[in-house]
Amino acid sequence: RHNLNYWQYGDYLGIGAGAHAKITRFDDQTIVRQIRQRQPTAYLTAESLIQSETLVPANERLFEFMLNSLRLTQGIPKAYFSQRTGLPLSEISAPLQQAIDSGWLISTDSHWTLTETGQNFLNDVVALFLRES
């Protein structure tokens, strides 16, 4: 249950020294990762609790989404992709079709689900969604 939010590419807040966060900014469809001050003393005394903040590029968002979501045996609701990444489905249409043609993925009206073969070749399926910057 703890990991379900990560696997659904949900957001999470980092609270405490060294904690990490993933936050979707819906106003501009960006995703940021934050790291809190690592040392407890710095965390308690620093002007900002945030040690670093990085913007997650689009190519990493689509890969991270598929890397996490394909772990779900009940499948991925198609609506989650655009909702959680801020990207159009057209961004993944080619690798999706390749996974379907390889017998690794089944596409229904509402979900994508790995086949048994796809579960056995999960790394190969996920690799289809890797993109250069």
Side-chain angles (χ1 to χ4, degrees), residues 44-121:
L44 293 171
T45 60
E47 283 186 36
S48 172
L49 298 178
I50 300 170
Q51 179 178 321
S52 68
E53 181 174 272
T54 56
L55 188 64
V56 180
N59 63 318
E60 290 180 24
R61 282 185 268 162
L62 69 90
F63 173 71
E64 287 180 1
F65 176 85
M66 298 307 284
L67 175 68
N68 288 295
S69 298
L70 286 173
R71 298 170 186 258
L72 300 169
T73 55
Q74 72 270 25
I76 308 165
K78 290 181 178 182
Y80 276 16
F81 181 76
S82 293
Q83 288 172 357
R84 307 280 166 104
T85 65
L87 302 170
L89 281 176
S90 60
E91 289 286 326
I92 58 171
S93 58
L96 279 173
Q97 192 58 53
Q98 192 173 354
I100 292 166
D101 292 346
S102 297
W104 295 339
L105 195 69
I106 296 169
S107 179
T108 68
D109 287 340
S110 62
H111 283 73
W112 297 299
T113 308
L114 285 174
T115 63
E116 187 174 337
T117 303
Q119 291 173 3
N120 290 330
F121 290 92

